[in-house]
């Protein structure tokens, strides 16, 4: 990952634009980029993308001994990696996520206990920041929370005298982690210490180092707060931001729940596509924006500067024309299992299994419709 | 003589899907899914060499980092990095980029069967996407030898073990096959540039596996052509 260079001109331009309540990517001051969540084939792996910022999160578990201070609670460990090695921004993100997820007690750690004082489940959330286009913390938080909500652990039965069995998924259904609430981080970049900008891009983040990160759950409860760069200039700032963040968090939690429900239905029908559903061939140059999208942004960005808009729509790479296609290799539904015995190595042309099929991507299947909510 | 009675010839590969340019901050990036395996690879380079000790006056220095789906990278990942580095140095014209460094970052996402082949194919597509000059393209095919001595190309293997980050549990996976092979072919002469095997097998079985994989690799090369054709349309 390369660090972008920030010129003085860019800095001045962004600052001046923000003073006029304008943003370089045409968003409103309280408008977020498009969010998309994709679940993998394995339980607990997720790609979340917020605009071009992309984060991969995966949850895993293993049995270990509990802490002596908390003998009947499981543990959770969060690890964030950006690029190839750990660096300072990673540690900041890790710390904020720890406070948001672990210290808000959103996970029922007692349910992770197998034998008190001896064996508990140890959860590990690995977060890998694939692409940083600003507002990594929001994206990482959404990825982590949705990965935890998606994760299933093996069932476990204790049979007296400290012995227990861990069941395979074939024997007993895997069970989800108990989440009391879904804390969502919402990051506001602060310009001149008082103008909050929702979902800052990397350029905006670099122009102002000040930011206010609030973790709010769907019940509008503040879980953690993190202020960097400036001291508070207005007593109403936190109140104002946390109100806005609460709305945002509510939408995101709904979005995560919808995505989970969709994934559950797909899995029940045996159609879990994994990450292949995220693959489209449209966003070929990465900075490619189709005109339709710009129109849509323009629409939402109506004149009222005091109005707060919030747009949560499909990820931009989902907005594709129906005639564009993804190149997919579909193999024949083969009869591998039925005829096992006699087949000789001979090249018969019709046996060449693979056919090159152009599969038309079904854009209408995703039920996350664009929704525009105007708040007053 | 190479014929084996119980051999099945299945040149079916699992469906492959790929999308290039998914990461805006990388020179080349791809998300690839191959059946139950998927990964994201991004390539950056040629850039300046980070550590002077690695600077080579005659060719580019390659750095590969492999991140597993869960847990911290360990010996297995280092081993894979080493192999991928060697393979990539074979296909990249490193002599064109002296005193510079090429970084390849691999993030494993679904570690199904044949993930290693999937990763190598992804590296190839990401390198193509980055515009780094290559001698040839490469295609990796995974193949297993099951209990009845049948060779199966690119098997679909729904493992029911739960994700874990302890290394010991990872190592005992995949023991249900007698042997597994991952062959990497280059496109010019279709010759083998890397073989990675596990388990016990006879030389006949090895030769058969290689023959089958070579056939199957043609499909992957076709897929690369398809992919390039689509992207060339837009760019």
């Amino acid at each position: 990952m390369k660090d972008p260079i920030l010129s003085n001109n860019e800095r001045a331009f962004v600052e001046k634009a923000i003073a006029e309540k304008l943003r370089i990517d045409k968003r409103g001051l309280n408008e977020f980029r498009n969010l998309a969540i994709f679940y993998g084939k394995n339980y607990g792996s997720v790609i979340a993308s917020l605009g071009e910022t992309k984060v991969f999160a995966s949850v895993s578990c293993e049995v270990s001994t509990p802490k002596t201070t908390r003998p009947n609670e499981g543990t959770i460990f969060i690890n964030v990696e950006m690029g190839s090695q750990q660096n300072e921004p990673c540690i900041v993100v890790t710390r904020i996520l720890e406070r948001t997820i672990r210290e808000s007690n959103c996970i029922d750690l007692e349910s992770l206990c197998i034998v008190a004082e001896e064996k508990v489940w140890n959860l590990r959330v690995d977060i890998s920041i694939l692409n940083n286009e600003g507002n990594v913390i929001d994206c990482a938080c959404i990825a982590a929370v949705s990965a935890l909500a998606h994760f299933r652990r093996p069932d476990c039965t204790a049979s007296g005298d400290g012995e227990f069995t861990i069941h395979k998924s074939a024997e007993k259904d895997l069970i989800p982690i108990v989440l009391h609430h879904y804390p969502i981080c919402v990051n506001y970049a602060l310009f001149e210490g008082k103008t909050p900008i929702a979902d800052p891009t990397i350029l905006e983040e670099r122009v102002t180092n000040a930011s206010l990160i609030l973790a709010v759950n769907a019940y509008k409860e503040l879980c953690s707060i993190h202020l960097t760069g400036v001291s508070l200039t207005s007593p109403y700032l936190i109140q104002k931001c946390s109100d806005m963040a609460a709305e945002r968090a509510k939408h995101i939690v709904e979005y995560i729940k919808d995505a989970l429900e969709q994934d559950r239905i797909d899995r029940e029908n045996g159609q879990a596509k994994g990450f292949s559903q995220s693959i489209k061939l449209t966003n070929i140059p990465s900075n490619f924006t189709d005109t339709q999208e710009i129109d849509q942004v323009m629409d939402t960005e109506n004149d009222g500067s005091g109005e707060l808009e919030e747009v949560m729509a499909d990820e931009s790479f989902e907005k594709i024309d129906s005639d564009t296609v993804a190149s997919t290799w579909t193999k024949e539904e083969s009869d591998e299992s039925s005829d096992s015995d006699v087949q000789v190595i001979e090249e018969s042309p019709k046996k060449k299994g693979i056919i090159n099929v152009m599969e038309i991507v079904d854009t209408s299947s995703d039920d996350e419709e664009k929704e525009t909510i105007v708040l007053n | 003589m190479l014929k084996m009675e119980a051999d099945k010839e299945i040149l079916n590969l699992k469906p492959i899907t790929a999308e290039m340019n998914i990461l805006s901050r990388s020179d080349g990036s791809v998300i690839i899914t191959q059946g139950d395996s998927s990964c994201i690879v991004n390539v950056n380079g040629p850039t300046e060499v980070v550590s002077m000790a690695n600077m080579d006056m005659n060719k580019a220095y390659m750095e590969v980092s492999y991140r597993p789906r869960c847990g911290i990278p360990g010996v297995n990942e280092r081993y894979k990095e080493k192999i991928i580095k060697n393979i990539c140095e074979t296909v990249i014209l490193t002599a064109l980029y002296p005193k510079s460094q090429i970084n390849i970052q691999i993030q494993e996402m679904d570690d199904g069967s044949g993930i290693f082949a999937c990763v190598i194919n992804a590296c190839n597509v990401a390198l193509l996407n980055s515009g780094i000059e290559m001698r040839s393209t490469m295609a990796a095919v995974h193949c297993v030898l099951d209990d009845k001595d049948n060779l199966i190309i690119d098997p679909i293997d729904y493992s029911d073990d739960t994700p874990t980050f302890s290394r010991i549990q990872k190592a005992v996976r995949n023991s249900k096959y007698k042997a597994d092979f991952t062959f990497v072919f280059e496109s010019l002469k279709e010759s083998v540039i890397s073989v990675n095997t596990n388990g016990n097998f006879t030389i006949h079985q090895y030769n058969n596996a290689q023959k089958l994989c070579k056939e199957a690799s043609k499909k992957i090369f076709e897929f690369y052509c398809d992919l390039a054709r689509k992207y060339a349309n837009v760019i």
Side-chain angles (χ1 to χ4, degrees):
Chain A
M1 239 179 275
K2 288 174 288 188
D3 259 344
I5 297 163
L6 179 68
S7 66
N8 288 342
N9 286 348
E10 274 177 300
R11 178 190 293 274
F13 181 75
V14 171
E15 277 174 348
K16 194 162 175 251
I18 297 286
E20 293 169 21
K21 298 198 185 320
L22 292 170
R23 290 174 79 171
I24 48 165
D25 54 1
K26 298 178 183 172
R27 279 185 291 159
L29 293 190
N30 192 35
E31 194 178 321
F32 294 84
R33 286 171 292 175
N34 298 324
L35 172 71
I37 297 171
F38 297 106
Y39 291 107
K41 286 219 158 112
N42 290 310
Y43 279 117
S45 42
V46 169
I47 294 181
S49 68
L50 195 62
E52 286 289 321
T53 299
K54 288 188 170 68
V55 171
F56 170 75
S58 77
V59 182
S60 49
C61 67
E62 73 178 12
V63 177
S64 65
T65 48
K67 288 178 191 160
T68 45
T69 47
R70 301 262 178 189
N72 58 346
E73 283 187 4
T75 53
I76 176 163
F77 179 76
I78 297 171
N79 177 46
V80 181
E81 274 180 51
M82 191 188 287
S84 53
Q85 69 279 343
Q86 281 235 337
N87 44 17
E88 203 213 314
C90 274
I91 297 164
V92 174
V93 174
T94 313
R95 189 68 201 117
I96 295 171
L97 285 183
E98 273 179 356
R99 284 200 314 191
T100 307
I101 292 166
R102 190 204 288 162
E103 283 156 38
S104 75
N105 292 327
C106 71
I107 298 162
D108 185 8
L109 290 176
E110 283 188 16
S111 71
L112 296 175
C113 177
I114 303 167
V115 181
E117 292 181 27
E118 279 174 33
K119 295 287 173 208
V120 292
W121 286 108
N122 184 4
L123 291 181
R124 183 187 168 99
V125 188
D126 281 290
I127 295 164
S128 163
I129 292 154
L130 302 167
N131 200 38
N132 180 4
E133 281 288 353
N135 206 3
V136 163
I137 182 71
D138 272 28
C139 199
C141 182
I142 293 167
V145 170
S146 40
L148 281 167
H150 188 244
F151 182 66
R152 301 279 187 282
R153 66 174 171 87
D155 202 355
C156 214
T157 42
S159 56
D161 57 299
E163 284 200 5
F164 61 93
T165 352
I166 299 171
H167 300 282
K168 283 190 169 175
S169 60
E171 296 164 18
K172 259 186 165 179
D173 280 348
L174 302 173
I175 44 181
I177 306 294
V178 182
L179 287 173
H180 297 307
H181 60 94
Y182 293 38
I184 302 294
C185 282
V186 187
N187 180 10
Y188 289 96
L190 300 176
F191 277 78
E192 295 164 7
K194 59 180 193 292
T195 318
I197 308 292
D199 191 14
T201 60
I202 194 150
L203 180 60
E204 286 161 343
E205 274 181 354
R206 287 169 66 89
V207 170
T208 173
N209 287 319
S211 69
L212 177 63
I213 298 159
L214 300 139
V216 195
N217 63 21
Y219 312 112
K220 302 194 176 184
E221 291 164 339
L222 204 55
C223 300
S224 83
I225 188 164
H226 185 89
L227 182 74
T228 55
V230 283
S231 52
L232 278 176
T233 53
S234 155
Y236 304 109
L237 183 72
I238 289 184
Q239 187 60 50
K240 188 182 157 199
C241 286
S242 69
D243 285 348
M244 295 192 295
E247 286 298 323
R248 168 71 173 167
K250 213 175 132 196
H251 289 302
I252 291 181
V253 172
E254 273 169 27
Y255 186 90
I256 292 175
K257 284 186 174 163
D258 285 352
L260 277 172
E261 182 61 19
Q262 187 58 45
D263 181 74
R264 192 186 61 79
I265 292 167
D266 285 349
R267 275 170 197 273
E268 267 180 14
N269 300 337
Q271 298 172 325
K273 293 191 206 82
F275 290 117
S276 60
Q277 62 175 317
S278 71
I279 292 181
K280 304 283 179 320
L281 240 108
T282 37
N283 65 335
I284 290 157
S286 55
N287 52 357
F288 175 79
T289 43
D290 54 344
T291 48
Q292 188 197 348
E293 189 187 5
I294 292 167
D295 289 345
Q296 185 234 331
V297 174
M298 293 297 273
D299 282 347
T300 56
E301 198 188 19
N302 46 26
D303 51 354
S305 53
E307 276 186 338
L308 310 171
E309 298 101 30
E310 191 164 279
V311 176
M312 217 157 70
D314 286 353
E315 165 59 24
S316 60
F317 61 69
E318 294 206 355
K319 288 195 202 95
I320 57 169
D321 302 325
S322 55
D323 55 334
T324 48
V325 288
S327 145
T328 308
W329 265 16
T330 316
K331 74 171 180 103
E332 278 181 335
E333 281 305 307
S334 61
D335 41 0
E336 295 173 51
S337 51
S338 54
D339 53 348
S340 58
D341 283 325
V342 192
Q343 269 184 10
V344 193
I345 297 194
E346 265 180 353
E347 309 283 323
S348 58
K350 70 175 165 99
K351 280 290 291 177
K352 284 206 170 175
I354 302 132
I355 35 170
N356 231 330
V357 177
M358 311 279 270
E359 191 184 83
I360 293 171
V361 179
D362 187 10
T363 46
S364 59
S365 67
D366 295 297
D367 60 348
E368 307 105 33
E369 298 291 339
K370 294 164 201 158
E371 52 173 326
T372 309
I373 294 130
V374 181
L375 314 167
N376 286 315
Chain B
M1 196 181 143
L2 284 173
K3 199 159 48 180
M4 298 183 65
E5 264 185 287
D7 251 352
K8 274 200 298 185
E9 188 208 16
I10 303 162
L11 283 179
N12 279 345
L13 286 168
K14 290 183 284 192
I16 305 180
T17 53
E19 180 179 327
M20 292 201 256
N21 268 330
I22 52 146
L23 308 177
S24 60
R25 298 251 160 228
S26 303
D27 292 335
S29 59
V30 69
I31 177 171
I32 204 162
T33 70
Q34 195 167 349
D36 47 357
S37 310
S38 59
C39 65
I40 282 186
V41 173
N42 63 322
V43 174
N44 279 307
T47 58
E48 68 267 45
V49 186
V50 179
S51 153
M52 291 308 272
N54 295 325
M55 186 180 295
D56 194 325
M57 289 304 189
N58 300 316
K59 61 185 177 67
Y61 169 69
M62 298 275 310
E63 193 165 276
V64 179
S65 84
Y66 189 103
R67 260 176 289 169
R69 191 171 78 81
C70 43
I72 43 171
V75 178
N76 280 333
E77 282 70 31
R78 291 278 173 280
Y79 178 61
K80 285 179 184 174
E81 280 172 8
K82 177 88 178 154
I83 297 171
I84 292 165
K85 186 182 166 191
N86 275 332
I87 298 171
C88 289
E89 278 177 342
T90 315
V91 292
I92 295 174
L93 290 165
T94 47
L96 289 180
Y97 310 103
K99 294 198 278 180
S100 52
Q101 177 170 346
I102 297 168
N103 295 315
I104 300 181
Q105 281 178 15
I106 299 153
Q107 172 71 54
E108 186 182 283
M109 296 197 300
D110 278 334
D111 46 354
S113 62
I115 176 72
F116 194 55
C118 175
V119 164
I120 293 167
N121 292 336
C123 285
N124 179 65
V125 180
L127 284 168
L128 286 176
N129 185 225
S130 70
I132 289 170
E133 305 265 349
M134 290 164 79
R135 191 174 284 115
S136 65
T137 56
M138 55 179 176
V141 185
H142 178 235
C143 170
V144 297
L145 186 68
D146 71 5
D147 301 335
K148 293 174 191 129
D149 284 345
N150 294 325
L151 281 169
I152 307 169
I153 295 251
D154 211 9
I156 296 175
D157 177 19
Y158 294 106
S159 58
D160 65 341
D161 47 12
T162 45
T164 173
F165 50 90
S166 94
R167 230 158 282 139
I168 307 143
Q169 289 184 45
K170 264 187 199 169
V172 294
R173 294 182 56 166
N174 252 337
S175 51
K176 84 183 210 197
Y177 297 116
K178 259 188 176 175
D180 66 270
F181 312 85
T182 306
F183 290 94
V184 187
F185 301 88
E186 52 92 42
S187 58
L188 288 181
K189 291 176 187 162
E190 294 179 3
S191 56
V192 178
I193 54 173
S194 166
V195 190
N196 201 15
T197 61
N198 258 321
N200 300 320
F201 48 86
T202 64
I203 187 74
H204 289 311
Q205 286 163 338
Y206 174 85
N207 286 337
N208 277 346
Q210 185 177 340
K211 206 175 150 193
L212 281 178
C213 289
K214 192 169 179 175
E215 279 306 307
S217 74
K218 286 175 187 162
K219 302 294 168 188
I220 297 181
F221 287 124
E222 267 172 40
F223 175 74
Y224 293 154
C225 292
D226 260 21
L227 201 65
R229 216 171 279 134
K230 277 194 173 55
Y231 279 86
N233 259 341
V234 180
I235 300 165

